[in-house]
Amino acid sequence: MSTAREEEFGLWYAEKQGEGGDLWHRTLIDPTLFAALGRLPAGTRVLDVGCGNGYIARRLARAGARVVGVDASSELVEYARRREREEPLGVEYLLGDAAHLATCADASFDVAVANMSLMDIADAEGAIREVGRAVVDRGRFVFSLSHPCFDVDTRSAWVVESGTSGEPTVFRKVTGYRTPHSDRFLWRLGPDRTRYTVGYHRPLEWYSRALRAGGWAIVGLSEPSPAPEYGNQRVPKSWVEDIPMHLVVDARREPRDGAGTGAPSYDG
């Protein structure tokens, strides 16, 4: 059963993301994620892993996809279900652990997407394996992450040094990269209202091994750059243009028997 603090955070986060993602998602992460996805044919079966408040699922459904979203937060799933009642799009939202997708049949999806969720899942290796089971041969898994090389939770930070020319030089300092670990993240919900969540850092090598073990082959890597609308955020645009804070991975499900199942093609 959720606590009052969990319910408060879930509702706050759902409203923060809104119908298009917050400013950081809209202008930095999501454009690259959707560019990697490309145009999905109408009727494409999509699994949204860690769907949150469902805004990605709804965007895909409006474009003609048949979407199932799964999330471990009862508050976020209820929010998403309420939005489905208000605007029926045919999206099904499931409450559950992405590492144990018992209600999802083998090879029942053409595409899986995970937008900034894998690093919040304790058993991400299990989730990658389960998504591999649920997606058809030659299907796709497109996901975004905090960049494992440059955004190592509280063990990374910006460093600004004054140069002899008078122009500051910006660096990113990182420690603890190679060792998978968890960390607590502070969220400021308002004056005198803070909450912590747990996230998990894994190096690139870890993701490569986990994807391979789950039946996936990496076919594309993208490092999002800020869109013109990024504007004047807490982290200056020039910093994020120079050092990527996120990574988008495009992986394809290798045939289980070497033949494939005729998954639809995509423009990407």
Side-chain angles (χ1 to χ4, degrees):
M1 180 179 294
S2 299
T3 67
R5 292 172 65 87
E6 289 170 337
E7 291 174 358
E8 180 188 28
F9 178 78
L11 180 59
W12 173 85
Y13 188 78
E15 293 178 343
K16 175 178 181 290
Q17 292 302 316
E19 281 305 290
D22 60 19
L23 185 61
W24 187 268
H25 282 75
R26 291 197 311 272
T27 63
L28 182 59
I29 305 168
D30 294 356
T32 302
L33 179 82
F34 279 95
L37 276 171
R39 183 185 61 81
L40 302 182
T44 298
R45 300 166 299 172
V46 179
L47 176 63
D48 185 357
V49 181
C51 64
N53 79 354
Y55 84 88
I56 293 288
R58 289 189 289 278
R59 177 169 170 177
L60 292 170
R62 292 187 187 106
R66 296 156 50 197
V67 188
V68 173
V70 60
D71 202 282
S73 166
S74 58
E75 292 75 35
L76 291 173
V77 169
E78 179 51 39
Y79 183 98
R81 288 173 175 170
R82 184 168 67 250
R83 286 291 297 114
E84 175 64 20
R85 292 192 294 270
E86 294 168 352
E87 182 189 359
L89 295 167
V91 181
E92 181 182 6
Y93 295 102
L94 304 176
L95 176 63
D97 181 353
H100 302 281
L101 299 172
T103 58
C104 298
D106 294 357
S108 55
F109 295 95
D110 304 306
V111 174
V113 61
N115 193 23
M116 300 297 291
S117 60
L118 278 182
M119 70 272 192
D120 294 331
I121 297 173
D123 186 8
E125 186 173 13
I128 290 169
R129 183 176 59 250
E130 274 289 84
V131 173
R133 178 189 62 76
V135 169
V136 297
D137 289 356
R138 303 191 190 282
R140 302 174 64 206
F141 186 20
V142 178
F143 59 91
S144 60
L145 297 164
S146 292
H147 203 303
C149 297
F150 304 112
D151 193 14
V152 186
D153 45 63
T154 60
R155 307 183 193 202
S156 58
W158 295 102
V159 178
V160 182
E161 294 184 354
S162 298
T164 55
S165 65
E167 291 294 325
T169 301
V170 178
F171 302 91
R172 190 75 178 164
K173 68 175 183 179
V174 173
T175 189
Y177 167 76
R178 285 190 179 274
T179 305
H181 60 265
S182 63
D183 205 346
R184 298 174 74 219
F185 292 86
L186 174 66
W187 300 82
R188 299 190 182 279
L189 282 60
D192 302 319
R193 294 165 59 225
T194 60
R195 297 293 179 269
Y196 283 92
T197 59
V198 177
Y200 301 86
H201 165 76
R202 292 110 175 175
L204 281 174
E205 184 179 22
W206 186 97
Y207 282 103
S208 177
R209 287 200 307 265
L211 286 164
R212 182 63 181 168
W216 298 98
I218 297 172
V219 296
L221 296 174
S222 303
E223 296 169 314
S225 292
E229 297 79 16
Y230 180 90
N232 185 25
Q233 298 200 46
R234 180 177 58 85
V235 179
K237 183 178 180 181
S238 60
W239 296 10
V240 184
E241 286 175 331
D242 185 42
I243 301 173
M245 295 299 291
H246 298 283
L247 183 69
V248 173
V249 179
D250 185 358
R252 295 189 187 255
R253 182 62 170 92
E254 295 188 320
R256 294 160 175 83
D257 58 4
T261 61
S265 59
Y266 306 90
D267 296 332

